[in-house]
Amino acid sequence: MSFLVTGAAGFIGSNLVKALSKTGAKVAGIDNLSRGVRKNLQMVDGNPNFTFIETDIANYDAFFEA
């Protein structure tokens, strides 16, 4: 299964990413880091099933660059 988590670097998003990653799912996290911090995702850094995209969700073109 694959999941997209918006606000991935925030408190709720980062915990959701962590929980989904533990199941072995592929997870893409998106955050513009306006309120969240990249440090919140350090527990999944290096996980081959996790991709982080630093952009605003309104930036449609960024999804095709990642």
Side-chain angles (χ1 to χ4, degrees):
M1 257 201 187
S2 298
F3 296 92
L4 173 66
V5 179
T6 59
F11 177 76
I12 295 172
S14 62
N15 282 291
L16 181 58
V17 166
K18 183 179 177 182
L20 290 170
S21 294
K22 284 184 178 180
T23 68
K26 290 188 178 230
V27 181
I30 297 174
D31 203 304
N32 65 2
L33 302 179
S34 64
R35 293 188 178 212
V37 290
R38 184 70 172 94
K39 182 180 175 184
N40 288 344
L41 295 170
Q42 68 186 5
M43 71 283 204
V44 291
D45 279 343
N47 183 333
N49 290 329
F50 177 70
T51 303
F52 179 71
I53 304 167
E54 182 179 344
T55 190
D56 192 288
I57 190 71
N59 185 1
Y60 179 77
D61 293 331
F63 299 107
F64 298 101
E65 295 169 5

